[in-house]
Amino acid sequence: MHELTDLPRLLTGLPKAVLELGELFSAAGFEIALVGGPVRDLFLGRISPDLDFTTNARPDDTLKVIEGWADATWDVGREFGTIAFRRGKDQFEVTTYRADAYDGDSRKPIVAFGDRLEEDLIRRDFTMNAMALRLPSLELVDPYGGLDDLRASRVMTPSTPVVSFTDDPLRMMRAARFTSQLGVELAPEVEQAMKDMAGEINRISRERVRDEIIKTIIGAYPRAGVDALVRTGLADHVLPEVSALQLETDEHHRHKDVYQHSLQVLEQAADLESDADGPVPAPDFVLRFAALMHDVGKPATRKFEPSGAVSFRHHDMVGAKLTKKRMRELRFDNESIKDVARLVELHMRFYGYGDAGWTDSAVRRYVNDAGPLLERLHRLTRSDVTTRNRRKAERLAFAYDDLEQRIQTLREQEELDAVRPDLDGQQIMEILGIKPGPEVGKAYKFLLEHRLDHGPVDYDQAAALLKEWWSQQS
């Protein structure tokens, strides 16, 4: 966190065009200020990729000011006072001061242009985003204490939280997201308002809620963001399966409930992501969300055994179905739904390997079932170990090391990443003298099962196996 005295040095990282833009508007008799996230990020020691400005100039005036200076302009947001443009490689958005409100039913913004910067700032979501830097004078405008809240790592609203969240309930999700992205905490009055108003999130489209969940999960501190959603009751409406985990006790981790275990698995999975050139580049939403959701099937499968133990049989299968249902309701794309649910379904497959050992056939099936998700499954399975018993943790880690080594050995011997039958569809039809149809698929499946169980064979062996199987089918 940098102080106000650091501002001149921090500004050197901004594009030269920012100051040029300030000079243009000032010469034309208008005010303009860098506003919101870019100003906040200056004090956090980083340059925001999005450069947003606010001005008392109306959209037509803005277009006149930048005419001949901007290389290209877009006025798709003109109705709401926003003009976007490009200067060289830099892109900017300039929006007229606003004092807008929201229709409580339709959520459609009601636009009213304003004349004062302070009025524009009070309508913004949080105080740390309600700071502005006047141009070209470089005067910081911070009427609502955003810099103090940033110093205190605190999420607070410019107006009262109730007024702010009534205007736009999605701001409650954004508050939780900020705890994940910036490692800040909710001000007590903000958290209380979120608890009191959590149900208002149902006014917001599932798509917008989904986008905030994604940003929360891929933040630098995802555990904090998810916990904020659960603590305030927002998760009861958007991720109820996660909230329900608080009620359960995990038979493998009696020192903590399943909810805390799931948060720890999420945190550990994020720590195991690779760099940009690795197999699972950080941040990876699919891995992280699977880590969060991996045990959501436990509440529905809890059973008290005669011995007094608690079991959760088939919670992996039930959890996969619940995960699919929740992600569909949140309008996730089909590929993400399929991948996350598959990881949830497979997360228990490894357990027992260290005790019983697996045949080569079982190892092949593990790789085949994981498919392109194998590297994520490796990380999810390792992350699922949260026991405080060091000996148990070391035993599980050793067993998984051994499994990965066996996978690598088989991969080198058998091209394991692309397991296919030893004969393709065309060869199957030629050997059996049949045309395309269901029988080809059945033959293909038979040969694939043999390949997984016994490894590769040559053409003649595969043909003999196929003919023997076909004679039995006939």
Side-chain angles (χ1 to χ4, degrees):
M1 171 69 192
H2 296 273
E3 294 300 323
L4 189 57
T5 53
D6 297 324
L7 199 53
R9 178 174 57 83
L10 298 173
L11 288 171
T12 60
L14 287 174
K16 180 182 177 182
V18 170
L19 294 179
E20 291 179 5
L21 187 65
E23 296 286 357
L24 285 173
F25 273 78
S26 178
F30 296 111
E31 299 176 2
I32 189 169
L34 185 67
V35 69
V39 179
R40 176 201 68 218
D41 285 349
L42 283 175
F43 291 103
L44 294 175
R46 60 194 193 190
I47 299 299
S48 174
D50 302 313
L51 295 174
D52 299 325
F53 302 82
T54 188
T55 179
N56 61 347
R58 298 312 193 242
D60 287 345
D61 297 323
T62 294
L63 286 169
K64 290 177 182 177
V65 171
I66 63 174
E67 185 178 1
W69 182 80
D71 296 323
T73 61
W74 302 269
D75 61 356
V76 291
R78 189 171 185 161
E79 180 184 354
F80 301 103
T82 299
I83 301 296
F85 52 94
R86 176 175 56 81
R87 166 78 170 179
K89 64 179 181 179
D90 301 310
Q91 294 192 18
F92 308 95
E93 282 193 2
V94 174
T95 301
T96 302
Y97 294 160
R98 294 201 320 225
D100 57 9
Y102 294 87
D103 184 303
D105 296 322
S106 71
R107 294 294 309 118
K108 183 177 181 180
I110 303 169
V111 177
F113 293 147
D115 297 308
R116 297 180 61 246
L117 176 57
E118 289 76 11
E119 291 175 352
D120 180 87
L121 296 177
I122 199 171
R123 52 168 282 279
R124 296 179 180 269
D125 52 5
F126 307 117
T127 56
M128 65 177 68
N129 294 335
M131 298 186 288
L133 194 65
R134 288 191 188 276
L135 301 171
S137 65
L138 303 181
E139 172 196 353
L140 180 67
V141 181
D142 182 21
Y144 307 107
L147 191 54
D148 287 340
D149 286 332
L150 198 56
R151 287 192 188 104
S153 296
R154 178 173 57 223
V155 177
M156 184 55 194
T157 54
S159 56
T160 68
V162 171
V163 168
S164 182
F165 298 154
T166 299
D167 281 347
D168 186 358
L170 191 66
R171 288 173 174 172
M172 295 187 289
M173 295 289 298
R174 285 172 56 81
R177 188 239 290 182
F178 269 57
T179 68
S180 171
Q181 288 182 326
L182 302 178
V184 295
E185 296 182 354
L186 304 175
E189 52 267 58
V190 167
E191 182 160 340
Q192 188 59 53
M194 291 167 70
K195 290 177 179 177
D196 295 341
M197 301 176 66
E200 293 297 301
I201 197 62
N202 294 313
R203 289 165 46 191
I204 303 299
S205 73
R206 297 295 90 180
E207 290 84 356
R208 295 179 73 202
V209 169
R210 173 203 63 208
D211 291 346
E212 289 299 324
I213 289 174
I214 292 172
K215 292 173 184 176
T216 300
I217 296 298
I218 64 173
Y221 309 94
R223 181 174 188 158
V226 172
D227 195 47
L229 290 174
V230 172
R231 206 170 59 240
T232 59
L234 280 167
D236 294 345
H237 301 277
V238 301
L239 288 173
E241 297 81 4
V242 176
S243 295
L245 293 174
Q246 296 176 105
L247 305 178
E248 300 304 319
T249 302
D250 186 336
E251 80 278 21
H252 295 304
H253 309 277
R254 294 183 180 278
H255 60 280
K256 63 186 71 151
D257 61 22
V258 178
Y259 171 64
Q260 290 298 330
H261 163 71
S262 297
L263 291 184
Q264 188 173 349
V265 174
L266 166 62
E267 198 170 46
Q268 292 179 171
D271 288 341
L272 289 178
E273 291 167 340
S274 64
D275 58 24
D277 297 324
V280 185
D284 188 272
F285 173 78
V286 168
L287 170 62
R288 294 188 185 196
F289 200 56
L292 176 64
M293 302 292 282
H294 78 286
D295 275 348
V296 296
K298 284 191 170 180
T301 58
R302 180 174 61 171
K303 181 180 179 182
F304 295 96
E305 303 291 348
S307 64
V310 181
S311 67
F312 302 95
R313 290 189 178 89
H314 306 302
H315 76 270
D316 44 355
M317 305 298 293
V318 173
K321 292 178 181 178
L322 291 173
T323 298
K324 281 184 182 177
K325 182 180 178 182
R326 177 56 46 199
M327 294 183 74
R328 286 186 183 125
E329 290 182 359
L330 289 168
R331 310 291 193 271
F332 275 90
D333 64 278
N334 290 333
E335 184 176 0
S336 295
I337 295 172
K338 177 175 66 70
D339 288 349
V340 173
R342 187 61 166 159
L343 286 172
V344 172
E345 180 183 342
L346 293 175
H347 84 273
M348 291 293 292
R349 185 72 65 88
F350 160 74
Y351 290 95
Y353 173 85
D355 297 326
W358 284 0
T359 62
D360 285 351
S361 171
V363 175
R364 292 188 196 99
R365 290 181 181 278
Y366 187 78
V367 175
N368 187 67
D369 289 347
L373 298 173
L374 182 63
E375 289 294 341
R376 288 182 173 119
L377 183 58
H378 286 334
R379 286 156 175 77
L380 175 59
T381 302
R382 289 185 181 277
S383 301
D384 196 21
V385 179
T386 61
T387 178
R388 292 178 180 175
N389 184 323
R390 192 176 74 175
R391 183 173 297 177
K392 181 179 180 181
E394 289 176 349
R395 185 174 70 250
L396 288 169
F398 177 82
Y400 208 85
D401 287 344
D402 184 65
L403 174 58
E404 286 201 65
Q405 182 57 52
R406 289 187 63 193
I407 289 172
Q408 183 58 34
T409 299
L410 284 172
R411 177 180 283 133
E412 292 170 356
Q413 293 174 352
E414 305 178 8
E415 298 182 359
L416 202 58
D417 289 330
V419 174
R420 297 287 186 273
D422 298 292
L423 301 173
D424 61 26
Q426 187 63 40
Q427 291 171 319
I428 289 171
M429 289 187 287
E430 290 174 357
I431 292 170
L432 299 181
I434 60 176
K435 296 180 179 180
E439 292 83 2
V440 179
K442 292 177 183 178
Y444 188 93
K445 183 177 180 181
F446 160 73
L447 290 172
L448 176 60
E449 291 293 323
H450 189 278
R451 169 78 166 77
L452 289 169
D453 284 338
H454 304 288
V457 296
D458 61 28
Y459 177 88
D460 290 339
Q461 290 175 297
L465 288 167
L466 178 62
K467 290 175 181 177
E468 181 182 355
W469 172 83
W470 182 246
S471 66
Q472 295 170 355
Q473 302 307 304
S474 302

